[in-house]
Amino acid sequence: MSRKVENSLYAIMSSSVKLDKHRKEELERFLASLVLEEGLKVTFQEALGLMVDHSLENKVEFVKRLKKIPPLESDPAWKLLHKPDDWGVDDASERVDEYLYGRR
């Protein structure tokens, strides 16, 4: 498949991905170093696509890295979503200040 066709497919089937600030800056530095050191100009999208391909081709190593990430179930915010506080009211949205701070 030619690069032009691949780029067209990426544009058609794109989705948004959020990266933390540190990773985004590191990837930008990496891409800039490719231009300076290797003369390779690669878009952010092309680089991420190749990184995904590399991860899929090296599944065993990728899974090892994934296992080092703490499980979602241990995240305090995740726990709160599954065990909400019972305030004893059907819908507290209209009187949330009263329940949080008491009557005035």
Side-chain angles (χ1 to χ4, degrees):
M1 188 179 302
S2 74
R3 188 173 177 140
K4 193 172 192 176
V5 172
E6 283 182 25
N7 287 341
S8 297
L9 289 174
Y10 281 127
I12 293 169
M13 299 174 61
S14 67
S15 62
S16 297
V17 176
K18 292 188 178 189
L19 290 175
D20 60 74
K21 186 177 179 180
H22 175 72
R23 283 194 176 110
K24 185 175 183 212
E25 289 172 354
E26 288 295 314
L27 184 53
E28 288 170 344
R29 277 193 209 99
F30 174 70
L31 295 176
S33 74
L34 290 178
V35 173
L36 294 173
E37 298 167 11
E38 306 293 332
L40 294 172
K41 184 156 175 87
V42 181
T43 67
F44 211 82
Q45 187 173 2
E46 289 171 323
L48 284 174
L50 290 171
M51 290 174 185
V52 168
D53 292 344
H54 180 75
S55 296
L56 294 172
E57 292 165 3
N58 298 284
K59 183 180 175 183
V60 173
E61 288 184 34
F62 185 67
V63 170
K64 283 181 188 176
R65 286 183 173 233
L66 286 174
K67 287 182 178 181
K68 293 179 183 177
I69 298 173
L72 185 60
E73 291 81 9
S74 66
D75 185 319
W78 182 260
K79 289 177 184 177
L80 287 174
L81 284 173
H82 292 286
K83 294 181 182 176
D85 288 337
D86 182 9
W87 291 5
V89 293
D90 292 332
D91 182 10
S93 62
E94 293 179 17
R95 300 172 58 194
V96 74
D97 284 345
E98 180 182 331
Y99 290 106
L100 288 175
Y101 308 112
R103 293 182 185 241
R104 289 185 185 207

